[in-house]
Amino acid sequence: MTVSLGVTGATGRMGGEVLAAAVDRDDLSVAFAVSRSPGDEVEGVAVEGAADFADLLASRAPDVVVDFTGPGSCIEYASACAEAGVGFVTGTTGLSEGGFDALRESASEVPVLYASNFSRGIAALRRAVREAVPALDGYDIELTETHHNAKRDAPSGTALTILDDIDEARGESPRVHGREGEAPRSEGEVGVHARRAGDIAGEHEVLLAGNHESLSLTHRAGSRGVFAAGALDAAAWLSDRDAGWYDFTEVLE
Ligand code: NAD
């Protein structure tokens, strides 16, 4: 039995990667793909209009929808899935607090899994950060992320997740986003830097420095395929879960 998927944002960068990875897997099948700009096929899958989403949920009955779109559409797709009883995996970033509340509301009806990053390397980086921060008490911390020039939100969702990890490890720290002019570092702050250039899939560096030494923990995604593979693992895992809010670390465990 394959797990059947609905894919949103099918004409986007991540949507295309998800479809490419899904058609290659024996344990998954694609029930439908939607985009707000439908038309051609992507990876041999016909792309239908996003306006038909609720009808497609009813007629094609996927087990799980995989979403990489924008904050507004992510919430709309999740609530349609909640109504239709279909699980929802999303990697869409840039959600507001209200957006997360709405997503959690859907999780009371169906299984919902959100991850700001679906790579195993980032999961390992996060574990390393949670270990390094308390071990290097008092060291300065700077976080730098680099993404392609079309990324909308800054800092990245992954950077925000890592910042929360740092707060958890050493207490809440003031975040300073970039520096300009007279801007000396104050004790305990975390510097946050977002670079946008070319077609870089995603890089994150956590730098800890003090006591005449520095430690740099860096992750580079070689291609978006790594995120698609993780999201599909999450979808397969989520397909037989009860309603609730799930995290990618649970899939890896
Ligand atoms: P993209 O711009 O290439 O694609 C987005 C797609 O969503 C497009 O097809 C667009 O038409 C569609 N879309 C956007 N707003 C919509 C709306 N209101 N209604 C219907 N469709 C809409 O972007 P991308 O690079 O594929 O990234 C998509 C999202 O995934 C971003 O939030 C990005 O940060 C996130 N992302 C997450 C991970 C992860 O591992 N969690 C990895 C990469 C990207």
Side-chain angles (χ1 to χ4, degrees), residues 18 55 98 127 178 231:
V18 166
D55 290 343
R127 284 198 295 276

Side-chain angles (χ1 to χ4, degrees), residues 126 130 133 161-172:
R126 291 183 58 198
R130 289 196 294 261
V133 169
T161 302
I162 295 169
L163 288 166
D164 288 344
D165 290 335
I166 293 168
D167 281 356
E168 238 171 73
R170 72 167 199 189
E172 205 168 315

Side-chain angles (χ1 to χ4, degrees), residues 18-112:
V18 166
L19 286 171
V23 297
D24 265 2
R25 281 177 65 150
D26 295 335
D27 60 332
L28 302 172
S29 60
V30 178
F32 67 82
V34 294
S35 167
R36 65 178 168 181
S37 43
D40 294 344
E41 292 186 343
V42 174
E43 301 294 333
V45 179
V47 178
E48 321 206 30
D52 300 328
F53 185 66
D55 290 343
L56 288 164
L57 286 178
S59 60
R60 312 270 177 90
D63 298 306
V64 179
V65 162
V66 178
D67 168 85
F68 286 90
T69 57
S73 48
C74 163
I75 301 312
E76 283 169 25
Y77 288 138
S79 105
C81 283
E83 262 180 47
V86 174
F88 192 71
V89 167
T90 182
T92 298
T93 61
L95 267 68
S96 63
E97 230 169 88
F100 277 113
D101 289 347
L103 207 52
R104 283 181 187 279
E105 227 168 84
S106 297
S108 61
E109 304 294 327
V110 292
V112 173

Side-chain angles (χ1 to χ4, degrees), residues 11-14 36 68-69 73 91 93 115-118 151 227:
T11 53
R13 279 173 287 257
M14 277 307 300
R36 65 178 168 181
F68 286 90
T69 57
S73 48
T93 61
S116 60
N117 196 297
F118 279 105
K151 183 164 177 61
F227 308 126

